[in-house]
Amino acid sequence: MPLDTSTYHLAHLRLDGRRWNELRRFHALLSTQASADGSSYLESGNSKVICTVTGPSEQRRSGAPASNAQRDSAQIIVDISLAGFSGVDRRKTARGSKDRKVMEMQHCVEECFGGVVLGHLYPHSVVQVNVAVLSQDGGVLAACINAVGLALVDAGVPMMGYVAAVTVGSTGTGGGSGGEGEDADDPVLDLNGLEENELPFLTLATVGGGGDGGGDAGEGDKVNVLVMETRMQMAKLESMVAVGLEGCKRVRALLDAAVKGHGKKVLEGKVG
Amino acid sequence: MQADRRRANAPAGGTAPPFFATIPRESLKRPTRTRKPDEHRKIFLRTGVVPSASGSAYYEVPPESDHTSDGLLIPSSSSLKITCTVHGPRPLPRNAQFSPNLLLTTNVKFAPFATRQRRGYVRDASERDLGVHLETALRGVVIADRWPKSACDVVITILEGEEDCFWGSAPQGSDASKGKAGGWGMMGVLAGCITVASAAIVDAGIDCVDLISGGVAAKTTSLGAATDGGALILLDPAPAEHDISAACVVGYLPSRDELTEIWMKGGVGGHSEALIDGAVRSATLASTVLAEAVKEAAQSRLGVSGGDDAANGALKGKDTAMTG
Amino acid sequence: MAPYANLPLSPAELSYLYSSLAQDPPIRPDGRSATQFRPLIAESNILPSANGSARICFIDGTEAVVGVKAEVEQTHENHLVAQNDTRDGERTGRPDPSSAGSWFEISIEIPGLRDDDALPVFLAAMLTEALLGDGELTLKLRINNRFHWRLYIDVLLLSQPLSYPLPLLSLTTHLSLLSTRLPALISEGDEDPLFSDDWEASTFLYTQPNSNAAGKLHQSKPPITLLVISAGENIIFDPSRDELAVAEAVVAISIRQNLLGHMEVVALRTIDAPSRLTASGVPRSLDATTGTNASVSNADAQALREEDEGQSVWRPPRGGINRAKLSQMMATATMENGIGQEVMGGLAGVQGS
């Protein structure tokens, strides 16, 4: 069923009542599981993700001999599993034979954090990251990246900064449909599942580079992940990336708040 | 299931199977139990059937009645034929982790032709489940700490498996017509597996605390069989003959009066203890056959029994008729 | 080897653990009584996209999430036992509990294990046969003669399986089934089913306690599976990982509450005790460094170990469980106001988030 975007021009409200640059409800918890070295739970709208981190631990001896590059720095292994009940229809995902989409997501997350984690501090070691997607409603990759970042923080793995990810879509239906063009092609931030099915979108992740890595850092941000699987007019890309960068900044503030909130709780627990 | 590339498989499209005229329903008579409720079917058990294995045994429960009389090619009830080979104890491979005990692995596989519905070459979930049950049963009996750093494989092939229900009364094409419903047949198969594996382990000369034997009992609600209305505990049920509502398999150690394996399922109600007792009785009956077969094998190995047997190199099997 | 079995405890530690568990009353490492459950964190109804869901964290850090999804499926004729008896003439279709096993499907995912490994297969079979029980769930899934619900129960273990994960998975499944709701049926009879779009009007698969407070009948509840071990003369519920390592026998008992409010056993399985994989200790007399007779032959050493019978040093348990103890386990689990009811009562109090 095509997404009805006709009302968008009237009130500039999206299907779920958000404005173009509003994020969905963002809820993050750290240390949700006692047995893991680091864990996190992240809700972004109706997308829910649980992430656990084991490590950095010694590289397993069995298996393929590690290449030199892996020996010098910690290797990050990401395993993403989409639960059978996570979508609208139940889908059985056979283990061992993961579909390509999930493999690509795993690779994307691995690459994303490979450059951010200060792996040279942990030679010969492995950081195993397990992500369970419990409910998917748009922005699953972004939610995974955010959750993995939080879990790594919880595990105490040193990183250059927060990795904040967000999705950006474009409301233009297939590109520049005539006269009303300009404002009809607004970029929209943080798509939900329905929008994601219909609109061209990209997932953008940035790593905070501005010194303290806190929420207010900005100038030094580096784009870490930029994934787009849909077709779109070249001209729109720039505005979408600009909106995405802004969104990432806000997500980073939320991540920072979650980490600081957790840290405060831990401190109070220790003191009291 | 992924395609099996190691064997020459049947063509994917399949060949046209022989198509038999439908059997008129009336001519299909459900087999009825002719033995007493506490009577076991005859068991044939022989050890040392595979010379290359360190221990082996063959177990058979032949069908009770003669089915040629009703003019059908397909027997209306199934029988049970199981072979077991034991390989080991043998040293663990060099790169394996240290183990202070004998590592026992079990592998239960139905032959593709064992049941009405063809089984694949790759083990399916129910076969793996049976393997775990068998492993649980045997681990408690084998004195594993006498073989550090070694492994032992128990491989069971089921040549003919028991069906889960009477196929004749079920509609065409349904699961039940292929003999698959409720999984009651699997329980009889497990009892046989335990007994035959026990014989093969003894044949391999692995130290055990006792001779374990398997037994199965079932609770039925079939009106025909029940005498005093309501539930009836039956020993060694043939699933084709009864409407089973609950069943229990045990792996029983007669001299210690202990159970290493219990598997009970179904609508047991309050009869769980009666069911377990029934299964233990059934296992006791099987253990007499087992002891006899093992004794005979040992005697012929030592050359105590007739010289003819020893000359032939064949161990005489034991075919014991059992009564309750 | 099962992942939970790999426990770095020395024979001396095992021996200490066992002897404290075998005392009367048993002394457990965490100070619980023999029938006491560990505290747990539970929440239900956590996922909007599933018909029912639950999450449970045990105190040892193991965590599981279960999602239940229901789909309408056409009933094949063969699932109905045609009962055209000559007595009542009327042909009524009744789902045959034995063949209706395919009306729900349990899949278990454990990190680090393939889903056709022995452990997930065994656990799924155990949970399935507990649910099948006497076919009551099947009756609940029936819509009309031609259609039925098909339940997909996906069990995810999110942590490494530190202890035997069966109780955790079973309790989570129980909780998710309690919170499972099916859309209200609008259509009647055998026509194609039509459901109300209003989620508020949906009905619980297992009726909630407050919905028929006046009713004399108790509510039936989905089964739970409890893990019981024996150590010496004691039977101990909800063993931790350390306790499992010294157990003589491990039994999983599935119990459920029937319509009369009594607990009954629906399935029973023994589980391979991980204690059988532990290393045995060396009696002092055999120890080459301290013992007096350092040079004993192999056969003598064997005999000495047998003589010791695990009295002075740890020896992996042999044999199984006797019937009296098994009956005692079942009785304790199903006792009125016993541990079974206590656990179910506790889970019934879990509020949806």
Side-chain angles (χ1 to χ4, degrees):
Chain A
M1 197 169 57
L3 180 69
D4 182 16
T5 49
S6 56
T7 52
Y8 179 73
H9 311 295
L10 304 175
H12 284 272
L13 288 178
R14 285 146 74 178
L15 280 176
D16 45 11
R18 286 182 291 151
R19 305 243 175 225
W20 65 274
N21 62 350
E22 271 179 294
L23 291 173
R24 291 176 290 172
R25 194 177 88 93
F26 190 92
H27 177 61
L29 293 172
L30 273 82
S31 282
T32 51
Q33 195 185 96
S35 62
D37 291 323
S39 55
S40 65
Y41 170 75
L42 189 125
E43 271 180 39
S44 168
N46 274 334
S47 293
K48 302 185 182 191
V49 173
I50 286 184
C51 175
T52 57
V53 171
T54 317
S57 56
E58 202 182 341
Q59 223 158 25
R60 259 176 284 169
R61 234 168 268 166
S62 61
S67 68
N68 279 332
Q70 286 167 342
R71 272 191 216 158
D72 291 343
S73 68
Q75 187 192 358
I76 298 174
I77 300 170
V78 177
D79 183 59
I80 297 179
S81 64
L82 303 178
F85 47 79
S86 60
V88 176
D89 292 317
R90 196 258 180 189
R91 207 175 64 198
K92 173 77 189 145
T93 46
R95 223 176 156 75
S97 59
K98 269 191 178 138
D99 64 4
R100 281 176 165 219
K101 199 183 143 211
V102 179
M103 299 276 280
E104 201 179 320
M105 274 167 65
Q106 286 180 0
H107 181 72
C108 178
V109 178
E110 271 171 20
E111 288 293 303
C112 167
F113 284 93
V116 180
V117 169
L118 303 177
H120 62 274
L121 298 176
Y122 301 97
H124 306 281
S125 44
V126 172
V127 180
Q128 172 74 42
V129 179
N130 288 310
V131 184
V133 178
L134 301 183
S135 170
Q136 30 182 336
D137 183 30
V140 174
L141 178 60
C144 287
I145 292 175
N146 290 335
V148 170
L150 286 178
L152 286 173
V153 167
D154 186 36
V157 177
M159 290 190 287
M160 308 214 300
Y162 290 111
V163 181
V166 80
T167 56
V168 195
S170 173
T171 50
T173 48
S177 53
E180 54 185 328
E182 291 312 304
D183 60 330
D185 288 352
D186 276 343
V188 285
L189 192 65
D190 197 15
L191 307 187
N192 64 23
L194 284 172
E195 290 170 331
E196 200 177 274
N197 283 338
E198 285 301 318
L199 305 179
F201 74 99
L202 54 86
T203 305
L204 183 76
T206 65
V207 56
D212 62 351
D216 50 347
E219 305 87 67
D221 286 6
K222 292 191 180 70
V223 172
N224 208 359
V225 174
L226 182 60
V227 180
M228 187 166 71
E229 285 163 359
T230 41
R231 214 162 36 148
M232 201 192 58
Q233 266 192 353
M234 189 64 193
K236 293 181 192 168
L237 186 68
E238 198 178 332
S239 64
M240 280 169 75
V241 170
V243 170
L245 287 174
E246 188 58 35
C248 284
K249 220 177 273 179
R250 275 158 52 196
V251 170
R252 185 175 316 126
L254 290 167
L255 293 175
D256 190 51
V259 171
K260 286 188 173 148
H262 175 72
K264 207 173 169 186
K265 251 189 254 169
V266 170
L267 282 178
E268 278 168 358
K270 284 250 170 75
V271 171
Chain B
M1 202 194 300
Q2 64 201 31
D4 183 9
R5 283 196 218 92
R6 291 183 203 153
R7 295 168 194 83
N9 280 314
T15 49
F19 189 75
F20 298 105
T22 328
I23 309 157
R25 275 289 143 78
E26 298 74 47
S27 73
L28 277 178
K29 265 188 269 134
R30 185 170 186 165
T32 48
R33 190 181 175 108
T34 47
R35 56 191 189 282
K36 292 192 216 83
D38 57 348
E39 196 178 329
H40 204 289
R41 282 174 290 183
K42 284 178 186 167
I43 297 175
F44 175 86
L45 186 64
R46 169 183 283 186
T47 60
V49 288
V50 182
S52 58
S54 42
S56 59
Y58 173 74
Y59 173 97
E60 182 175 338
V61 176
E64 270 215 313
S65 50
D66 186 19
H67 288 289
T68 49
S69 56
D70 53 10
L72 290 175
L73 285 171
I74 317 166
S76 53
S77 75
S78 54
S79 58
L80 196 54
K81 295 188 178 76
I82 308 175
T83 64
C84 175
T85 52
V86 174
H87 302 279
R90 51 185 170 73
L92 278 176
R94 248 166 205 286
N95 54 1
Q97 229 182 350
F98 172 76
S99 163
N101 297 317
L102 178 71
L103 287 181
L104 194 73
T105 49
T106 53
N107 190 325
V108 178
K109 183 76 193 85
F110 278 84
F113 45 80
T115 46
R116 283 183 69 81
Q117 194 174 31
R118 182 181 176 274
R119 301 269 183 164
Y121 284 108
V122 185
R123 283 193 297 159
D124 67 3
S126 60
E127 288 162 342
R128 284 170 198 276
D129 192 28
L130 273 189
V132 178
H133 278 296
L134 184 68
E135 196 176 324
T136 310
L138 297 180
R139 277 257 177 87
V141 194
V142 171
I143 305 179
D145 49 341
R146 292 197 184 160
W147 284 275
K149 295 182 280 185
S150 35
C152 174
D153 295 316
V154 178
V155 182
I156 283 193
T157 307
I158 295 150
L159 300 174
E160 190 174 346
E162 223 154 17
E163 311 290 0
D164 288 336
C165 59
F166 179 53
W167 53 272
S169 62
Q172 289 282 321
S174 68
D175 279 352
S177 73
K178 293 168 193 150
K180 277 184 74 176
W184 306 121
M186 292 301 253
M187 306 191 85
V189 169
L190 177 64
C193 285
I194 294 174
T195 310
V196 71
S198 174
I201 282 181
V202 171
D203 190 40
I206 299 174
D207 300 3
C208 293
V209 291
D210 198 354
L211 263 184
I212 184 174
S213 62
V216 58
K219 191 186 116 184
T220 64
T221 45
S222 65
L223 299 164
T227 45
D228 39 22
L232 184 71
I233 305 291
L234 292 166
L235 267 54
D236 182 36
E241 296 169 358
H242 314 287
D243 286 325
I244 297 174
S245 66
C248 176
V249 189
V250 297
Y252 180 63
L253 313 178
S255 65
R256 294 167 72 103
D257 189 26
E258 282 180 348
L259 307 166
T260 58
E261 159 70 20
I262 312 149
W263 180 20
M264 182 163 76
K265 67 176 188 177
V268 186
H271 300 88
S272 48
E273 280 176 41
L275 208 53
I276 291 172
D277 286 345
V280 166
R281 276 209 303 283
S282 163
T284 318
L285 295 177
S287 79
T288 55
V289 182
L290 177 63
E292 200 65 29
V294 167
K295 199 170 101 192
E296 197 147 324
Q299 277 173 348
S300 72
R301 186 173 291 176
L302 296 170
V304 174
S305 71
D308 286 347
D309 278 351
N312 291 337
L315 306 176
K316 197 174 175 302
K318 183 71 192 167
D319 195 354
T320 316
M322 309 255 315
T323 49
Chain C
M1 198 194 299
Y4 56 88
N6 201 352
L7 198 69
L9 286 181
S10 69
E13 287 168 308
L14 292 167
S15 176
Y16 170 75
L17 252 175
Y18 176 79
S19 48
S20 51
L21 283 183
Q23 275 179 19
D24 185 35
I27 301 169
R28 303 178 70 169
D30 45 9
R32 286 181 286 159
S33 74
T35 56
Q36 202 176 351
F37 239 73
R38 282 171 289 181
L40 51 85
I41 303 162
E43 54 181 333
S44 70
N45 226 347
I46 52 168
L47 299 173
S49 57
N51 290 63
S53 54
R55 164 177 171 263
I56 290 186
C57 294
F58 271 11
I59 202 75
D60 63 357
T62 50
E63 180 180 13
V65 170
V66 174
V68 180
K69 257 182 165 346
E71 284 173 11
V72 175
E73 197 180 59
Q74 201 151 17
T75 310
H76 295 293
E77 187 62 25
N78 61 57
H79 279 305
L80 302 176
V81 179
Q83 289 187 318
N84 40 0
D85 287 355
T86 45
R87 276 166 293 174
D88 54 15
E90 191 188 26
R91 189 191 146 97
T92 52
R94 179 176 65 88
D96 176 11
S98 57
S99 69
S102 53
W103 284 17
F104 61 89
E105 191 181 306
I106 296 183
S107 74
I108 293 183
E109 234 179 81
I110 295 177
L113 294 182
R114 291 165 53 88
D115 57 2
D116 55 354
D117 270 339
L119 182 68
V121 166
F122 186 78
L123 292 176
M126 173 98 216
L127 292 179
T128 306
E129 66 195 31
L131 273 175
L132 266 179
D134 53 0
E136 198 196 314
L137 179 63
T138 314
L139 288 176
K140 289 178 188 293
L141 292 179
R142 182 178 174 277
I143 298 171
N144 55 34
N145 278 339
R146 290 174 47 228
F147 291 92
H148 64 89
W149 287 106
R150 186 181 167 85
L151 281 193
Y152 293 97
I153 303 173
D154 287 284
V155 183
L156 307 184
L157 188 67
L158 293 177
S159 59
Q160 294 297 316
L162 294 177
S163 60
Y164 199 74
L166 183 62
L168 171 68
L169 303 187
S170 151
L171 292 186
T172 320
T173 309
H174 172 91
L175 200 58
S176 67
L177 282 173
L178 272 184
S179 75
T180 299
R181 290 198 283 181
L182 299 173
L185 188 67
I186 304 176
S187 60
E188 287 169 352
D190 279 353
E191 59 193 36
D192 286 2
L194 191 69
F195 298 98
S196 164
D197 281 340
D198 187 8
W199 188 240
E200 294 302 313
S202 60
T203 52
F204 280 96
L205 184 65
Y206 285 89
T207 41
Q208 296 284 296
N210 51 3
S211 57
N212 59 346
K216 241 188 249 173
L217 285 181
H218 285 255
Q219 296 78 38
S220 66
K221 283 182 180 172
I224 55 172
T225 305
L226 302 175
L227 212 56
V228 196
I229 62 169
S230 76
E233 288 306 304
N234 294 319
I235 57 172
I236 291 165
F237 280 80
D238 188 31
S240 69
R241 187 185 180 209
D242 301 353
E243 288 164 341
L244 270 176
V246 296
E248 275 160 352
V250 188
V251 182
I253 302 181
S254 301
I255 52 173
R256 62 164 211 134
Q257 186 175 341
N258 63 13
L259 286 171
L260 300 169
H262 300 304
M263 306 304 266
E264 60 181 23
V265 177
V266 283
L268 192 71
R269 279 186 183 212
T270 45
I271 285 163
D272 195 15
S275 55
R276 292 186 185 134
L277 294 170
T278 54
S280 57
V282 181
R284 185 162 211 137
S285 49
L286 285 177
D287 193 340
T289 51
T290 62
T292 46
N293 47 351
S295 57
V296 277
S297 73
N298 238 349
D300 287 348
Q302 196 80 271
L304 270 170
R305 277 170 180 244
E306 285 308 309
E307 224 172 89
D308 189 54
E309 281 190 331
Q311 292 300 314
S312 67
V313 290
W314 169 252
R315 192 182 77 172
R318 295 171 185 171
I321 179 173
N322 65 28
R323 272 183 279 171
K325 211 175 281 172
L326 191 69
S327 312
Q328 197 191 341
M329 281 180 181
M330 288 195 285
T332 320
T334 56
M335 202 165 54
E336 210 52 41
N337 300 320
I339 182 165
Q341 283 191 335
E342 185 191 318
V343 171
M344 279 203 190
L347 289 179
V350 173
Q351 298 293 319
S353 64

